[in-house]
Amino acid sequence: MAENKGIISMINGPVIRGRNMRAFRMREMVMVGKDRLIGEVISIDGDKATIQVYEETEGLKIGEEIISTGRPLSLRLGPGIIGSIFDGIERPLDAINRMSPGYLPKGIGLISIDEEKEWEVSLLVSTGQKLGPGQVFGQVQETGSVMHRLMVPPGISGTVVSVVPDGRYDLNQVLVVLRDDNGREVPLKMMQEWPVRTPRPVMKRKPIDRPLITGQRILDMFFPIAKGGTAAIPGGFGTGKTMTQHQLAKWSDADIIVYVGCGERGNEMTEVLEDFPALIDPRTKRSLMERTVLIANTSNMPVAAREASIYTGITLAEYYRDMGYHVAIMADSTSRWAEALREISGRLEEMPAEEGYPAYLPTRLAEFYERAGMVETLNGQEGSVTIIGAVSPPGGDFSEPVTQNTKRFVGAFLALDRRLAHARHFPAINWLSSYSGYMDRLADWYKENAASDVVDLRAQALRLLHEETKLLEIVKLVGEDVLPDDQRLILEIARLLKNGFMSQNAYHSEDTYVPLSKQYLMLKTISHLYSRAYKAVRKGIPISRIRDDKLFDRILRMKYTIPNDDLSGFDGINREIDRFYDELDAVYA
Amino acid sequence: MRNEYLRLDRIEGPFVVLSEVSDAAYDEIVELYADNGQSGRKGRVVLLDEDKAVVQVFGSTTGLSSINTSVRFTGKPLTIPLSKEILGRTFNGIGEAIDGGGAVYSPSRGDINGRPVNPVARQYPRNFIQTGISSIDLLLTLIRGQKLPIFSGNGLPHNELAVQIVRQARIASEEGSDFAIVFAAMGVRHDEADFFIRSFEESGVLERVVMYINLADDPIVERITTPRCALTAAEYLAFEHGMHILVILTDMTSYCEALREISASREEVPSRKGYPGYLYSDLASLYERAGMMKGRKGSITQIPILTMPNDDITHPVPDLTGYITEGQIVLSRDIYQNNIYPPVDVLPSLSRLMKDGIGKGYTREDHPDLANQIFSTYSRVREVRDLAQVIGEDSLSDTDARYLEFGRQFEERLIKQGFNENRDITQTLDLGWHLLSIMPQEELDRISPEIYRKYGRK
Ligand SMILES: Nc1ncnc2c1ncn2[C@@H]1O[C@H](COP(=O)(O)OP(=O)(O)O)[C@@H](O)[C@H]1O
Ligand SMILES: [Mg+2]
């Protein structure tokens, strides 16, 4: 063991250097100093190695030792993850708070999921059975909504030589013993380990074919995110990145949510912890916390662990995907992760590329987003990881490196707009600069699962919104009154699309989440109004008569007045549209 | 207590490079004595490399030489004495008393860097603080435990606004005796600091104020420690003594400039506008020290003040601040030029915590809808003003003309208010409804029918 101890020779914030480090490996996890701070080897040069430390280095001294752990920065994977909150390297914040209430202590050490807790396990294999990587040998009801499937770790296979009976076990007890091809016995436990920076293997990738339904109208109808796809939400401060991420974490139809608070506010994690347990998942009718895991490395926590938190999150997501679940991971904010890279890189005196970011920033972003996907898992199930990353561009300027490079690697780009946010139009997603590259691949799904004309309705609505933008340029110069009536009608309909459809109030109990069926009927109703009103315009009826305050007001408020669980009100509204324009037609016949 | 003569290799700006150092700890405080002098100056270890230590000296390095200086390593980070005795006292940026009242002695000392609060241990803030200022109470509600900065510009009345908040805000609990103010001045002018001190005096709270003062001509290295001392004191009073603390940090722009200057002298790779890449994390280590904690009575409400260089909200200092704080109160030169105090531009302003602290059971049930509507109506006012510029007011439609009228009255009657005028929340909400009565009802699309029936005016 003696040669596996290095000696600290340099300390510069979260970056330290050691000598006597020949036996250490790149990306190995180490323990630093007398407080046993956790760190990771990030470069090796002969006898010297550089280490990023995941805790504050205050008080650390030259000459203190660096201890090898012999393994890369890894997660312990097993029951006890869902419903918990971890720091950036999977240390449970709850347990830490019990050990040391209030402030985070120094030198927390390497703790992870609770290995002593016993779980009720059902074993699903018998002796003599052949098992391959990823195959499920048992299961545990981890929470009311999540069945945790115990899988043979990747790279391991063999014949079952022994199985314990169903019963209560802890994470370290051997449940199944395999004999592999070389005659070696391999014990299987509830817990396995996986290095965070290595993607977990899958059988194969599958094409994207269905949306992540979020209950947010502008997303589901206009800019859908695909299951297994990637999306970025860039926006200056206060434009609604976090709210949007919270809304997705609450309402999207994923089986598992991994929420990574990366370098953001402590209170926002507290808010999730206070709110989620009380919120009910519309699909399982159980508490949302029963499908959610939180990773919190807030802005005031050590910066190196912020860098790791993204990988911790995605590794947890892949692990549940491997069980055959659809997992969505939200990272708020990926810019803070990129800044952590920059800070570490700066302390290493690497040559900076754009705005001080290291030249490998695009590679790291690409590697991260590539871990999303719809896959066939090793055990032949279907599973997916969807990544939704917030981006915080300095000064709200999207031309900066993190936004630009992220844009290259994501399928949907939901651009938040400061002007909309200032007018309190939320979600402040700009309908002109946002896009979803998934729409073509999802069209069939929408036609089958929503309605056959939904794709056309969407196209019509977006066309009207584009028209409106052009018209508003004219209005700015001459006012609205001089426009011909057919163009004024477009302005009126666009106003309804904006205020009655796209704007959605996260704080309103009925509006916060809206099922697809209602979203469709809302769009359909506005479209119906447009076609009736348009016919009236063509007949030469003045817009002042066509735009009836009461009728338009009723449509504007349908999001509040028609309950999500009883959509019969739409018939009434559509009948009223017809009645109104029939009468108008009669007057002008 | 090691008193050592070491080799002092280099002195550069605020940095001293020592060699033949052993057993030094990262971030520990050293004391440097020139010419066997009695009173030492302090410094902090910012880099250790083999037997070399780079020490950042507080105060100045003037008079130090490579042969006349002895150094003592304290083995401890910078700490300040903590006791209730600090109330009413004034300290410098490294926590030394400067009011002639002598040093504060206390067995308990706090590391000025603090520790990050475990997110699990935080309590989400939800209590409304009435400031008596309509624009804030109605549209940018301050919540106890919030960090809500004032984004201002040179020459705008941010100090007056802060003082008015201090004077009028009801931050204490019902009993009213458990509040205190912690005031940190970083690089401010003498007359600005005096203005605050005088106002504290006039409102009779001086006994409840703790001040950490680093004026414009004080050492810039101490500008970095000033807010940390202040927040350490605030945490002590809030979470050890259950007090409700209002922390004023001014001027954060000077603070950031000091950080930039020090970073540049260490030849660190700069990011935007020469500020170090870690500016965000550094600011977060201050702002995140606001809040409330589970099972503890007190709270820390922060009002940092910053002046936006060139009134530019995208400048790194306001920008990174806005990314960390729970909203911002933005002051506008245009509004101020129209003779409106406080010149709050409500559109770019935001209180992120107001959603949970207003409405039924907190302020009044109509508050959320009303605020929402006023934001939306006023943002339309701005568009109509642009249009009126082009086509003339006379050519506006009737509805647009009403928007202009609303805008005028909103600024003149709701935003504008006296430095000594204290409006309670009911008064403010009623005023809001009164102003909305200028608009035709169908323009009020953010107000639910029930609320309109109950509170709307025609
Ligand atoms: N969907 C929404 N519904 C209502 N209010 C919203 C919505 N999205 C954002 N907001 C408002 O905007 C504020 C800022 O949103 P937030 O997500 O915290 O911004 P960011 O993370 O981009 O800084 C929130 O405090 C809230 O008042
Ligand atoms: Mg945010």
Side-chain angles (χ1 to χ4, degrees):
Chain A
M1 273 316 272
E3 86 258 42
N4 276 8
K5 275 190 188 165
I7 293 174
I8 299 177
S9 63
M10 191 273 294
I11 307 166
N12 179 8
V15 173
I16 69 159
R17 199 170 304 135
R19 56 186 146 71
N20 200 26
M21 301 284 293
R22 273 188 200 284
F24 286 65
R25 297 172 198 207
M26 188 63 181
R27 292 288 174 195
E28 174 173 348
M29 184 164 32
V30 296
M31 290 189 281
V32 175
K34 63 175 184 342
D35 284 332
R36 298 277 183 272
L37 309 177
I38 312 297
E40 186 182 0
V41 177
I42 54 172
S43 84
I44 295 178
D45 178 8
D47 156 70
K48 292 204 170 78
T50 307
I51 293 162
Q52 61 178 353
V53 184
Y54 294 126
E55 301 177 66
E56 292 95 342
T57 50
E58 180 183 293
L60 207 59
K61 291 179 175 176
I62 300 290
E64 288 185 347
E65 59 189 20
I66 303 169
I67 300 168
S68 160
T69 65
R71 59 198 175 104
L73 179 64
S74 307
L75 301 186
R76 303 209 165 142
L77 301 166
I81 292 171
I82 303 295
S84 304
I85 175 165
F86 300 101
D87 76 357
I89 53 174
E90 208 204 8
R91 297 184 295 191
L93 288 169
D94 246 325
I96 292 171
N97 197 47
R98 279 193 299 274
M99 280 160 24
S100 166
Y103 298 97
L104 290 169
K106 272 190 74 166
I108 297 165
L110 251 196
I111 53 170
S112 178
I113 48 177
D114 186 352
E115 295 173 30
E116 270 141 46
K117 178 166 176 180
E118 292 191 345
W119 296 85
E120 193 67 45
V121 187
S122 342
L123 278 303
L124 305 171
V125 293
S126 42
T127 46
Q129 203 173 328
K130 276 199 175 319
L131 293 181
Q135 267 181 297
V136 176
F137 62 85
Q139 60 186 22
V140 170
Q141 191 74 49
E142 185 173 2
T143 67
S145 26
V146 176
M147 180 63 83
H148 193 112
R149 308 207 169 97
L150 306 173
M151 298 172 290
V152 180
I156 289 175
S157 58
T159 311
V160 177
V161 290
S162 68
V163 190
V164 297
D166 290 357
R168 294 183 72 77
Y169 300 96
D170 72 25
L171 266 53
N172 279 314
Q173 279 169 290
V174 176
L175 304 176
V176 172
V177 178
L178 296 182
R179 179 166 297 121
D180 70 12
D181 290 349
N182 302 324
R184 265 196 308 259
E185 294 205 339
V186 189
L188 301 181
K189 305 170 181 180
M190 246 185 279
M191 185 171 74
Q192 50 175 285
E193 287 197 21
W194 192 262
V196 295
R197 296 183 196 277
T198 311
R200 286 175 63 89
V202 297
M203 192 74 85
K204 64 166 197 259
R205 282 180 174 260
K206 297 176 59 167
I208 271 164
D209 65 355
R210 75 201 80 163
L212 180 80
I213 293 299
T214 65
Q216 312 303 305
R217 289 185 291 265
I218 185 165
L219 297 183
D220 292 349
M221 280 293 160
F222 291 168
F223 308 113
I225 302 169
K227 283 210 173 83
T230 52
I233 309 179
F237 62 83
T239 51
K241 297 177 296 296
T242 304
M243 283 290 296
T244 308
Q245 296 273 41
H246 280 193
Q247 286 296 88
L248 294 178
K250 284 175 186 166
W251 308 122
S252 60
D253 67 342
D255 301 311
I256 309 279
I257 298 290
V258 179
Y259 193 96
V260 187
C262 175
E264 295 285 310
R265 301 178 186 85
N267 270 337
E268 291 173 346
M269 301 311 288
T270 310
E271 188 182 10
V272 173
L273 285 173
E274 288 186 13
D275 288 356
F276 275 40
L279 289 169
I280 300 301
D281 181 347
R283 299 175 318 133
T284 58
K285 310 285 178 230
R286 303 193 63 96
S287 153
L288 280 177
M289 208 57 208
E290 293 188 15
R291 65 158 193 183
T292 307
V293 50
L294 305 177
I295 312 288
N297 192 268
T298 57
S299 56
N300 55 340
M301 285 159 76
V303 69
R306 191 185 301 167
E307 194 270 330
S309 65
I310 290 285
Y311 296 99
T312 296
I314 193 79
T315 304
L316 292 179
E318 288 175 342
Y319 175 63
Y320 282 91
R321 171 204 65 194
D322 291 346
M323 295 176 202
Y325 289 119
H326 295 289
V327 185
I329 168 171
M330 287 96 207
D332 185 11
S333 159
T334 60
S335 293
R336 306 302 166 217
W337 164 51
E339 285 162 11
L341 279 181
R342 175 171 71 184
E343 183 170 341
I344 303 289
S345 163
R347 299 211 188 234
L348 293 175
E349 295 176 7
E350 292 174 339
M351 191 64 174
E354 276 175 291
E355 293 192 20
Y357 287 103
Y360 46 79
L361 172 72
T363 318
R364 295 284 167 85
L365 284 169
E367 282 167 357
F368 170 63
Y369 283 107
E370 278 305 303
R371 288 175 79 167
M374 174 71 78
V375 305
E376 184 181 324
T377 63
L378 292 180
N379 52 37
Q381 300 272 324
E382 182 179 77
S384 68
V385 171
T386 309
I387 302 181
I388 300 135
V391 183
S392 316
D397 174 4
F398 289 1
S399 66
E400 58 90 37
V402 181
T403 314
Q404 283 307 314
N405 285 306
T406 301
K407 203 169 179 181
R408 293 163 57 197
F409 307 122
V410 296
F413 188 75
L414 309 167
L416 299 180
D417 185 312
R418 179 170 276 165
R419 238 189 46 258
L420 293 173
H422 286 180
R424 271 58 176 177
H425 171 104
F426 290 117
I429 296 173
N430 183 309
W431 47 91
L432 300 173
S433 46
S434 300
Y435 59 82
S436 165
Y438 298 113
M439 199 55 216
D440 292 345
R441 280 172 278 173
L442 301 177
D444 288 341
W445 189 95
Y446 275 96
K447 285 179 190 158
E448 255 164 61
N449 294 277
S452 56
D453 59 346
V454 66
V455 178
D456 299 331
L457 287 176
R458 168 185 188 270
Q460 182 194 37
L462 288 177
R463 183 176 56 75
L464 288 173
L465 289 165
H466 278 100
E467 287 285 307
E468 185 219 21
T469 311
K470 282 187 234 149
L471 295 175
L472 285 179
E473 288 303 313
I474 303 172
V475 170
K476 255 193 221 155
L477 297 176
V478 293
E480 196 173 322
D481 292 349
V482 299
L483 291 182
D485 280 359
D486 60 335
Q487 296 189 342
R488 290 188 65 186
L489 178 64
I490 291 179
L491 293 184
E492 294 297 341
I493 299 296
R495 205 167 286 163
L496 277 182
L497 285 169
K498 286 189 290 188
N499 301 335
F501 186 79
M502 288 193 290
S503 100
Q504 186 167 353
N505 186 350
Y507 303 133
H508 189 281
S509 57
E510 207 64 31
D511 206 31
T512 184
Y513 160 86
V514 178
L516 206 57
S517 46
K518 178 171 168 186
Q519 298 184 20
Y520 164 71
L521 288 172
M522 287 174 71
L523 207 52
K524 177 103 178 151
T525 303
I526 295 173
S527 171
H528 185 55
L529 173 77
Y530 179 56
S531 70
R532 289 300 314 251
Y534 184 72
K535 277 187 201 128
V537 167
R538 296 304 297 266
K539 272 182 107 171
I541 304 176
I543 188 82
S544 54
R545 296 293 310 275
I546 291 169
R547 192 206 173 284
D548 180 67
D549 283 349
K550 244 185 74 204
L551 183 65
F552 274 61
D553 203 52
R554 193 160 165 205
I555 292 169
L556 184 71
R557 293 181 204 278
M558 64 191 169
K559 58 179 167 185
Y560 298 135
T561 52
I562 298 184
N564 289 338
D565 55 3
D566 177 9
L567 304 179
S568 56
F570 282 106
D571 289 341
I573 293 188
N574 281 284
R575 268 199 307 274
E576 195 176 312
I577 294 172
D578 286 330
R579 183 165 359 98
F580 179 82
Y581 289 107
D582 287 347
E583 279 170 18
L584 201 62
D585 282 347
V587 174
Y588 283 85
Chain B
M1 296 296 126
R2 293 167 294 127
N3 213 354
E4 291 173 23
Y5 287 86
L6 298 148
R7 253 196 36 228
L8 207 156
D9 284 349
R10 232 161 14 109
I11 306 175
E12 215 177 281
F15 296 101
V16 166
V17 182
L18 306 168
S19 55
E20 291 166 23
V21 173
S22 65
D23 212 33
Y26 186 71
D27 224 19
E28 80 168 287
I29 291 297
V30 302
E31 285 167 1
L32 301 102
Y33 300 88
D35 301 320
N36 275 322
Q38 283 309 299
S39 62
R41 47 192 117 190
K42 290 194 171 109
R44 188 171 71 94
V45 175
V46 294
L47 177 78
L48 287 169
D49 192 357
E50 298 291 356
D51 74 336
K52 281 195 170 36
V54 178
V55 172
Q56 184 181 63
V57 181
F58 301 120
S60 92
T61 46
T62 312
L64 296 181
S65 82
S66 52
I67 46 168
N68 75 342
T69 304
S70 73
V71 179
R72 192 173 75 86
F73 283 80
T74 66
K76 281 188 305 242
L78 187 58
T79 58
I80 55 168
L82 295 171
S83 92
K84 271 194 131 176
E85 305 288 299
I86 61 176
L87 285 169
R89 300 294 309 273
T90 305
F91 305 89
N92 68 7
I94 51 174
E96 297 164 344
I98 51 169
D99 54 3
V104 171
Y105 289 100
S106 166
S108 127
R109 299 184 69 90
D111 176 350
I112 64 158
N113 292 320
R115 300 283 324 159
V117 178
N118 189 330
V120 170
R122 281 185 188 270
Q123 165 112 38
Y124 196 75
R126 295 177 200 271
N127 296 324
F128 162 65
I129 298 180
Q130 178 174 307
T131 66
I133 298 164
S134 292
S135 48
I136 297 178
D137 290 350
L138 175 60
L139 300 167
L140 313 168
T141 318
L142 179 64
I143 301 294
R144 188 194 278 163
Q146 184 170 18
K147 37 189 182 287
L148 187 62
I150 300 175
F151 286 13
S152 185
N154 289 316
L156 294 180
H158 43 268
N159 292 340
E160 286 77 358
L161 180 58
V163 160
Q164 190 172 4
I165 294 173
V166 168
R167 186 155 30 83
Q168 297 181 177
R170 301 221 212 110
I171 45 168
S173 63
E174 308 309 301
E175 309 90 71
S177 62
D178 52 356
F179 80 96
I181 292 152
V182 175
F183 178 70
M186 286 88 67
V188 305
R189 296 191 315 264
H190 287 258
D191 60 313
E192 285 183 280
D194 286 344
F195 172 75
F196 276 99
I197 297 168
R198 219 173 337 104
S199 324
F200 294 144
E201 223 160 6
E202 281 163 10
S203 39
V205 290
L206 204 52
E207 303 295 88
R208 306 190 150 269
V209 183
V210 192
M211 291 191 261
Y212 293 86
I213 307 274
N214 172 270
L215 294 171
D217 53 357
D218 285 334
I220 67 151
V221 176
E222 294 185 15
R223 211 155 287 168
I224 309 304
T225 47
T226 307
R228 291 181 165 80
C229 292
L231 289 162
T232 304
E235 280 170 350
Y236 170 78
L237 294 171
F239 302 126
E240 302 298 320
H241 288 283
M243 299 176 82
H244 295 294
I245 309 297
L246 184 66
V247 181
I248 308 271
L249 304 170
T250 184
D251 174 341
M252 290 307 296
T253 307
S254 302
Y255 170 86
C256 293
E257 282 165 354
L259 206 65
R260 175 170 66 178
E261 190 174 328
I262 291 165
S263 168
S265 63
R266 287 185 71 183
E267 293 172 12
E268 292 172 336
V269 183
S271 67
R272 280 177 77 218
K273 288 205 171 20
Y275 288 92
Y278 50 80
L279 181 59
Y280 175 84
S281 301
D282 186 278
L283 285 173
S285 74
L286 302 178
Y287 297 142
E288 280 288 312
R289 292 173 81 174
M292 299 177 71
M293 286 167 80
K294 285 205 182 83
R296 308 202 195 187
K297 262 175 56 200
S299 64
I300 298 177
T301 309
Q302 268 189 29
I303 303 197
I305 299 172
L306 60 88
T307 43
M308 299 183 279
N310 280 322
D311 294 347
D312 177 10
I313 197 169
T314 68
H315 181 278
V317 176
D319 191 51
L320 295 179
T321 297
Y323 270 119
I324 304 162
T325 51
E326 285 148 344
Q328 64 279 340
I329 297 171
V330 182
L331 303 190
S332 141
R333 202 167 296 280
D334 279 349
I335 298 180
Y336 193 51
Q337 273 156 1
N338 286 331
N339 208 10
I340 289 168
Y341 169 90
V344 179
D345 186 355
V346 298
L347 294 182
S349 302
L350 170 71
S351 164
R352 292 166 190 267
L353 299 187
M354 76 184 276
K355 61 185 186 345
D356 292 300
I358 63 168
K360 207 170 176 171
Y362 296 96
T363 52
R364 208 169 72 186
E365 57 172 339
D366 54 318
H367 191 164
D369 279 15
L370 178 63
N372 216 332
Q373 184 64 59
I374 287 184
F375 275 122
S376 139
T377 305
Y378 186 60
S379 84
R380 175 83 187 128
V381 168
R382 295 287 184 87
E383 289 171 21
V384 174
R385 278 181 188 164
D386 290 344
L387 181 62
Q389 289 260 315
V390 180
I391 64 171
E393 271 193 41
D394 296 341
S395 320
L396 291 178
S397 69
D398 179 50
T399 310
D400 282 351
R402 295 225 218 167
Y403 272 105
L404 278 195
E405 182 55 22
F406 173 85
R408 258 191 298 270
Q409 294 211 25
F410 171 73
E411 288 167 3
E412 279 298 325
R413 299 175 59 189
L414 195 137
I415 299 286
K416 185 171 182 170
Q417 119 178 40
F419 178 58
N420 289 309
E421 188 182 353
N422 191 349
R423 300 187 192 143
D424 74 23
I425 183 69
T426 316
Q427 233 178 323
T428 293
L429 292 170
D430 291 349
L431 181 56
W433 281 109
H434 186 78
L435 294 174
L436 279 185
S437 70
I438 297 170
M439 300 308 301
Q441 191 192 338
E442 60 282 2
E443 293 296 309
L444 307 183
D445 57 8
R446 303 283 177 95
I447 293 182
S448 72
E450 310 87 74
I451 294 290
Y452 189 82
R453 240 172 280 131
K454 214 161 150 191
Y455 296 90
R457 310 223 178 126
K458 260 283 112 345

